[in-house]
Amino acid sequence: MTVSELALKMNLTPLSLPDGDREINGCYAGDLLSWVMGRARADNLWFTIMNNINVLAVASLADVAAVILAEGVMLGDKEIEAAKAKGINVLTSEKSTFTLCYEAGKLVL
């Protein structure tokens, strides 16, 4: 499944979607950035409530398919522009991290 397909099925709001055709191969949830860097795998969805510029750095290093911001978390305008410039997919939802992981897991695992 691609990030764009998942966004439609889960009713996620794209903040940055420069690579919507990217395939997803799993999920990872976490907010401790150093932990995510060492454990998220390439092409995973990364679920978090963190919303600073460091999230984009970690997303790039871990090569995740997309960052999914839970619980209505948003990025600032500068971070959105940086995500687009770096080719990082970022989506947001009002749903809880648990709900998002559960729904995505049913679709991509």
Side-chain angles (χ1 to χ4, degrees), residues 27-28 33-42 44 62:
C27 302
Y28 190 83
L33 300 180
S34 61
W35 197 264
V36 175
M37 280 189 331
R39 288 168 176 78
R41 300 185 193 272
N44 278 182

Side-chain angles (χ1 to χ4, degrees), residues 93-106:
S93 173
E94 294 292 327
K95 298 174 186 174
S96 71
T97 301
F98 173 82
T99 300
L100 289 166
C101 290
Y102 176 76
E103 290 177 2
K106 290 193 309 184

Side-chain angles (χ1 to χ4, degrees), residues 4-5 15 18 29 33 44 47-48 54 58 68 74 77 86 91 94 98 103 105 107:
S4 291
E5 291 168 338
L15 301 178
L33 300 180
N44 278 182
F47 299 91
T48 185
N54 294 328
V58 171
I68 313 293
M74 296 291 291
D77 292 339
K86 294 178 183 213
L91 304 105
E94 294 292 327
F98 173 82
E103 290 177 2
L107 293 170

Side-chain angles (χ1 to χ4, degrees), residues 1 6 8-9 15 18 23 25 29 33 40 42 44 57 59 67 72 78-79 93 95 98 109:
M1 172 172 292
L6 181 92
L8 286 173
K9 289 184 180 190
L15 301 178
E23 291 288 330
N25 73 359
L33 300 180
N44 278 182
V67 177
K78 286 190 284 188
E79 290 81 8
S93 173
K95 298 174 186 174
F98 173 82
L109 300 178

Side-chain angles (χ1 to χ4, degrees), residues 2-5 7-8 12-22 65-66 80 83-84 87-91:
T2 69
V3 174
S4 291
E5 291 168 338
L8 286 173
L12 303 173
T13 302
L15 301 178
S16 170
L17 197 58
D19 191 10
D21 292 333
R22 183 141 179 204
I80 291 171
K84 289 176 182 176
I88 300 170
N89 296 317
V90 182
L91 304 105

Side-chain angles (χ1 to χ4, degrees), residues 40-61:
R41 300 185 193 272
D43 300 319
N44 278 182
L45 296 173
W46 172 25
F47 299 91
T48 185
I49 58 167
M50 299 295 294
N51 67 343
N52 60 50
I53 195 73
N54 294 328
V55 168
L56 303 180
V58 171
S60 181
L61 284 169

